[in-house]
Amino acid sequence: MPHPQSTLMAFGDGRQKLRIGLLLLDNFTLNALSGFIDALRLAADTGGRSRQIDCGWVIMGKGMVRASCGLAISPDSEPLPPARFDYLAVVGGNDYAERVQPAWVTAYLQETAAAGIPLIGLCTGTFNIARAGLMQGVTACLHWNVHQEFAAQFPKVRAISDRIFLDTGNRITCAGSTGAPDLALHLIDRHCGPERAQQSLRHMVLNDQREASYPQAQFSPEARDIHDDLVRRAVVIMEQTLNDPISIDRLATRLGISGRQMARRFAASLDQTPSQYYRFLRIRYGAWRLIHSTDLISDIAADSGFCDASHFQREFRGHYGVSPAKYRKGAIASA
């Protein structure tokens, strides 16, 4: 592992075609950071030797920070002058629900934006960029699990969760997790060429680089084959609200169409009404929970958006032909 001082000396020494500063915040998600930075590392040198030749990166912060998994990391440096890199990536994490952030984070992001350096929101780093007032008029790509919280905190910022990342020029937002390496490869391809991106792919034992529009993994596999973008977005919202279902009228309003229009488009794409498909998702989620947890059926019913266990059992029996208890017992017996 290079010493922090040697990392700083290598970073921005004039050789690199791509230079990225990573601002690490408390409770950051390790998967997003490691996937992003490893794609850079494997493209930067030959043979996986990790020298910052074609790509340069530096991890910045104010003292030691911890990942959401508990791992402690000491940054290479305090925040550097923005002119030293081509992009600033903000690596957020489990503190996204906090509605305030340190003043120095806001000031540094605003300084970087004013210098014309594109800002990258990795995972929930987009929340921090938005808190600095730097997402006005820009669409943000969020992980489906934090979409509702982002919409509640920043109602004037359009948010989407039907792709893994979105590059709008001065703002690049990424759902995080396994989408982070794809974003890094996107930047490597742009600045260092497709050969370097392919080199990184080979080292990571990956077959292909996913495009920005690649859909986020969904609980419902058939949703990946939906060609109607509006129906696909409706299904994403349904999956985000399985435990607390919203009305179909409210869903249609969020999508900017009438309930009747949405019903027609669901019928054309899925041969079901929105309500039928929503209920199907909730029942199937309940079935998954029965097999993959030891939770009480009443708790699974509540988490699947049913008013009580009796309602869940009626709907479940109607779909699967057996009670939830028998379904669980049969799955255990056949395992």
Side-chain angles (χ1 to χ4, degrees):
M1 176 71 69
H3 187 276
Q5 189 59 36
S6 63
T7 297
L8 282 176
M9 289 175 64
F11 179 74
D13 64 0
R15 293 181 301 168
Q16 293 105 1
K17 300 172 184 176
L18 173 61
R19 302 165 302 160
I20 298 182
L22 293 115
L23 187 64
L24 220 54
L25 302 177
D26 270 325
N27 267 323
F28 72 91
T29 44
L30 185 59
N31 196 13
L33 171 68
S34 60
F36 187 85
I37 208 168
D38 245 18
L40 297 176
R41 178 183 69 83
L42 294 167
D45 196 0
T46 55
R49 287 182 285 177
S50 305
R51 295 174 299 175
Q52 295 197 18
I53 297 176
D54 272 13
C55 304
W57 61 91
V58 60
I59 297 176
M60 304 179 295
K62 292 274 191 177
M64 185 172 289
V65 291
R66 285 190 180 275
S68 54
C69 67
L71 178 71
I73 289 185
S74 181
D76 301 321
S77 166
E78 291 211 348
L80 297 172
R84 291 193 62 178
F85 32 80
D86 302 306
Y87 301 89
L88 172 66
V90 187
V91 190
N94 279 0
D95 285 348
Y96 64 88
E98 300 293 331
R99 302 208 171 196
V100 295
Q101 66 188 9
W104 70 265
V105 172
T106 295
Y108 186 59
L109 294 179
Q110 290 175 344
E111 176 191 357
T112 303
I117 306 300
L119 299 175
I120 298 173
L122 270 186
C123 195
T124 60
T126 303
F127 281 76
N128 302 97
I129 297 172
R131 285 195 195 104
L134 299 170
M135 288 298 294
Q136 301 98 324
V138 182
T139 298
C141 175
L142 281 304
H143 188 287
W144 61 264
N145 192 47
V146 301
H147 186 118
Q148 283 187 295
E149 180 64 29
F150 187 89
Q153 289 192 37
F154 311 104
K156 294 183 179 179
V157 179
R158 180 172 180 259
I160 59 173
S161 296
D162 59 356
R163 53 170 52 215
I164 53 176
F165 69 88
L166 178 64
D167 185 348
T168 62
N170 284 333
R171 302 289 180 271
I172 305 174
T173 49
C174 178
S177 193
T178 60
D182 296 287
L183 171 54
L185 290 165
H186 168 73
L187 298 175
I188 291 164
D189 191 304
R190 173 186 292 169
H191 291 270
C192 306
E195 297 83 5
R196 285 298 187 188
Q198 283 297 319
Q199 173 179 294
S200 189
L201 272 171
R202 288 195 302 272
H203 276 281
M204 290 189 289
V205 200
L206 295 175
N207 293 325
D208 296 296
Q209 174 187 341
R210 296 181 299 178
E211 295 296 325
S213 59
Y214 191 89
Q216 293 183 32
Q218 295 173 315
F219 188 82
S220 176
E222 65 272 11
R224 299 168 192 162
D225 299 323
I226 297 173
H227 298 295
D228 188 320
D229 180 63
L230 185 138
V231 174
R232 188 152 58 93
R233 283 190 286 136
V235 171
V236 168
I237 295 171
M238 287 177 175
E239 291 187 324
Q240 293 166 1
T241 55
L242 289 174
N243 63 324
D244 187 19
I246 63 175
S247 71
I248 298 303
D249 286 341
R250 185 177 162 202
L251 176 58
T253 299
R254 281 183 61 173
L255 296 169
I257 62 171
S258 69
R260 184 171 295 180
Q261 286 176 306
M262 189 164 71
R264 283 201 298 267
R265 293 172 76 156
F266 260 77
S269 294
L270 296 166
D271 198 27
Q272 295 183 63
T273 68
S275 295
Q276 287 171 333
Y277 192 75
Y278 207 174
R279 185 166 57 251
F280 158 71
L281 287 179
R282 289 157 51 212
I283 294 169
R284 190 166 65 179
Y285 175 62
W288 185 88
R289 288 283 303 276
L290 287 167
I291 296 173
H292 294 90
S293 80
T294 57
D295 294 342
L296 296 173
I297 291 175
S298 57
D299 292 337
I300 292 174
D303 285 342
S304 303
F306 291 92
C307 57
D308 54 43
S310 296
H311 185 201
F312 173 61
Q313 293 191 46
R314 285 197 305 273
E315 294 290 348
F316 192 93
R317 188 186 291 274
H319 185 80
Y320 286 101
V322 295
S323 69
K326 285 188 176 179
Y327 182 89
R328 171 179 268 173
K329 188 179 293 184
I332 293 172
S334 61

